[in-house]
Amino acid sequence: MNTDATKAKLDNLLAAASGLQMVSVVSQNTDKELDDLDAYAVELLTTADDEMAKQLRQRLHLLRSMREEQAEVLYSGFRNATGDHQLETFAFDIDDISVERLERVVHNHVLGEAPNVSKELTERLQKIQKMRRELKPIKDGVFRFLATDSLEEAEALLIEKADILLTETAGREILQANSRDRILRQRIESRKVLWRKIYGQVSGKALTGSAHTVEKAAEKESEKAAQPKPTIAPAPSSKAAAVTVELNQVSDNHNVVNEDEAVVQADRLMSEVYDLLDQAIGNAMVAFSIYRKNKSTRADEALKLLNELHNETKDS
């Protein structure tokens, strides 16, 4: 036991003037540190005067109650998360200390449950551990990338952490990012443009739009690899050639635009569409949350709009 550190923690415990400060003591210390603090306080009880002993007992009771309550809250969230998406959200809403605490609580529950329940709990805990092990570096990297002060810093970070940030998984995280704050939203949008540019240069793929586009691109790559090589087609007839000419793009000054330039232009337009849809979905989610919290009858209207926007991106 590190006595000096434990004494400092006890001082913080005794000085806590509110329940919120007590929660902070519990949340910011590991179970081992809290065990040492508990043991140190119990040891002091043997020599403390009546007033100090009374305060120590009261704080020990609060400490133990809060530890137990926090553990049960973690376990409740762990059990109630349904589906991989909710489980992933839960996994990244808790910090490392809470993960260690959850592991202890789940282990205790496993010992008292039926074999099939114990197996389910163990597998779910392992899934959370795997999510944090594999995805936490990506999420942390994406946060750093979006928070950079300049495009130069952002580009340097992309190159430095290319193995983490220049991946489709990171791309989905970046392209889904949004903010209600106008200035922050502008920064995020500029980082999205930069990511698409650098990702295209490194991977050779021209991915644009939202995370939906990234997923679709991956699906198309898989389908393309599975398809047999096409046979050589016969030369087109004059009628087919006429159709081809009619499909060529024409610029504002009536000059023919080649197919590559037309596709790039279409990609840019679709990129803007998906970005607007991303922002609209984010705004609709915030509105729905506010309506529901205030029990407004317009919650159903916001939810309907949210579903329509989601279906729009899903079906595109």
Side-chain angles (χ1 to χ4, degrees):
M1 180 189 300
N2 187 332
T3 306
D4 291 338
T6 306
K7 283 182 179 179
K9 295 182 192 304
L10 181 65
D11 290 340
N12 291 334
L13 181 68
L14 294 175
S18 65
L20 186 60
Q21 290 176 338
M22 283 289 296
V23 170
S24 178
V25 171
V26 175
S27 300
Q28 295 178 11
N29 292 279
T30 65
D31 281 337
K32 183 182 183 309
E33 290 170 332
L34 293 176
D35 287 341
D36 290 343
L37 175 59
D38 192 303
Y40 182 66
V42 170
E43 184 180 338
L44 286 181
L45 279 172
T46 59
T47 57
D49 57 36
D50 290 343
E51 185 176 349
M52 175 59 75
K54 180 180 179 181
Q55 187 177 10
L56 283 171
R57 289 192 183 94
Q58 188 260 352
R59 291 307 164 103
L60 275 171
H61 174 71
L62 281 175
L63 178 65
R64 292 166 180 171
S65 298
M66 285 187 172
R67 290 184 70 183
E68 186 64 29
E69 182 178 350
Q70 190 176 80
E72 287 306 314
V73 168
L74 282 171
Y75 184 72
S76 176
F78 168 76
R79 287 299 305 266
N80 292 330
T82 58
D84 285 349
H85 179 69
Q86 286 190 13
L87 202 60
E88 181 178 319
T89 300
F90 173 79
F92 290 101
D93 278 347
I94 58 178
D95 56 20
D96 291 340
I97 290 178
S98 297
V99 170
E100 293 178 6
R101 196 158 289 155
L102 176 65
E103 290 171 352
R104 175 180 59 81
V105 175
V106 172
H107 177 70
N108 291 338
H109 277 275
V110 163
L111 295 176
E113 296 286 357
N116 61 322
V117 177
S118 297
K119 181 181 178 182
E120 178 189 346
L121 292 176
T122 301
E123 290 176 349
R124 177 173 283 222
L125 179 61
Q126 289 173 346
K127 185 174 288 188
I128 283 182
Q129 292 167 332
K130 182 179 180 182
M131 285 177 176
R132 287 182 65 85
R133 184 172 61 251
E134 295 181 352
L135 298 181
K136 191 174 187 303
I138 294 177
K139 287 183 176 288
D140 290 345
V142 167
F143 176 81
R144 286 180 58 199
F145 170 69
L146 295 176
T148 51
D149 293 328
S150 67
L151 286 176
E152 290 75 14
E153 292 180 27
E155 183 171 351
L157 184 61
L158 282 180
I159 302 303
E160 178 188 352
K161 300 292 184 181
D163 59 323
I164 293 175
L165 292 176
L166 293 179
T167 62
E168 292 184 1
T169 302
R172 283 192 290 270
E173 292 288 329
I174 292 168
L175 297 175
Q176 286 173 344
N178 204 351
S179 174
R180 295 178 62 191
D181 181 81
R182 181 178 61 83
I183 296 177
L184 185 55
R185 185 165 64 245
Q186 289 174 348
R187 174 186 292 187
I188 291 173
E189 292 306 314
S190 70
R191 300 303 182 270
K192 289 180 181 181
V193 172
L194 175 65
W195 184 88
R196 294 188 190 103
K197 172 188 171 184
I198 303 301
Y199 180 82
Q201 291 174 351
V202 172
S203 68
K205 301 176 183 178
L207 294 180
T208 59
S210 66
H212 170 77
T213 313
V214 179
E215 294 169 351
K216 286 295 182 183
E219 292 175 4
K220 288 180 180 178
E221 286 294 323
S222 300
E223 293 172 0
K224 184 177 179 181
Q227 289 176 352
K229 293 183 179 180
T231 56
I232 299 176
S237 64
S238 58
K239 182 177 180 180
V243 172
T244 303
V245 171
E246 290 175 2
L247 290 176
N248 283 337
Q249 300 294 318
V250 180
S251 64
D252 293 338
N253 58 5
H254 304 290
N255 292 326
V256 176
V257 178
N258 66 46
E259 184 177 355
D260 290 340
E261 291 177 352
V263 170
V264 169
Q265 182 181 7
D267 282 345
R268 179 181 60 78
L269 293 172
M270 289 306 298
S271 173
E272 294 176 1
V273 169
Y274 280 121
D275 286 343
L276 288 171
L277 282 171
D278 285 342
Q279 293 178 26
I281 289 174
N283 291 339
M285 290 177 67
V286 172
F288 172 66
S289 176
I290 294 173
Y291 285 143
R292 186 174 61 177
K293 183 177 180 180
N294 291 276
K295 299 181 180 179
S296 170
T297 56
R298 301 192 67 179
D300 291 340
E301 178 184 343
L303 182 60
K304 180 181 178 182
L305 175 62
L306 184 59
N307 287 329
E308 290 175 352
L309 289 168
H310 172 71
N311 291 334
E312 182 72 21
T313 57
K314 182 179 68 174
D315 297 336
S316 298

